[in-house]
Amino acid sequence: MTGSSVAVERRMAAPPQRVWEALTNLKGMERTLKGVTKVEVLTPGPFGVGTRWRETRRMMGKEATEEMWVTACTPAQRYVVEAESHGMRYVSEWDLRPDGSSATTVRMTFTGTPTGRPNLLARLLGRFGAGAVRKAIAKDLDDIAASVERAGV
């Protein structure tokens, strides 16, 4: 069974380096993303391939914690995060593209692929969840834009 993907783009009035810093500042994630209630960094050192953390989010009125890890990273340009939960493998890809001298277009692509026989939750998310996922990604991108645009003032 193949996965399904959702991609959302957002232009931010901030240079790529400032956007990158906001996206990869795991210890500041709770202040940047309104949906994130807790982040526990599990690995020492700078953000890069192998960085792991647990992120707790409030979605659809409930909190859920997932462990994530970075599998690809090109500073100020792109990184990929993976997670596995409830019979699904999730891949989040963040791409930053300079847009003029002081703006950045960020594209986040989220893909969910069953790791075995999908359970009821996985089937429901596959069928009905794309809109909710798209909305959550757009909200995260809005939160990041607000943070980096405010920092530039």
Side-chain angles (χ1 to χ4, degrees), residues 100-143:
S101 62
S102 61
T104 306
T105 297
V106 178
R107 178 182 180 89
M108 198 281 217
T109 305
F110 179 87
T111 304
T113 306
T115 57
R117 185 176 173 169
N119 62 20
L120 177 60
L121 175 63
R123 289 194 306 267
L124 286 173
L125 286 175
R127 181 176 292 169
F128 303 110
V133 169
R134 185 178 319 282
K135 186 176 178 179
I137 294 169
K139 179 68 179 112
D140 281 356
L141 291 174
D142 287 347
D143 288 348

Side-chain angles (χ1 to χ4, degrees), residues 12-94:
M12 300 181 191
Q17 187 61 40
R18 186 174 329 137
V19 175
W20 179 262
E21 289 167 5
L23 287 172
T24 60
N25 178 7
L26 299 176
K27 293 181 181 177
M29 196 67 61
E30 297 165 40
R31 291 183 306 275
T32 302
L33 299 178
K34 293 176 184 167
V36 173
T37 60
K38 182 179 178 184
V39 173
E40 178 187 1
V41 180
L42 304 173
T43 54
F47 185 93
V49 173
T51 298
R52 294 179 88 88
W53 70 96
R54 280 191 201 99
E55 181 177 296
T56 302
R57 285 183 168 263
R58 179 165 287 287
M59 289 188 70
M60 295 180 262
K62 295 185 179 185
E63 280 196 345
T65 301
E66 302 296 339
E67 186 168 324
M68 300 178 211
W69 57 93
V70 178
T71 57
C73 183
T74 305
Q77 294 178 22
R78 173 181 180 269
Y79 74 90
V80 178
V81 173
E82 297 189 28
E84 286 191 29
S85 179
H86 298 77
M88 296 288 286
R89 179 175 200 83
Y90 301 104
V91 178
S92 300
E93 183 173 346
W94 296 83

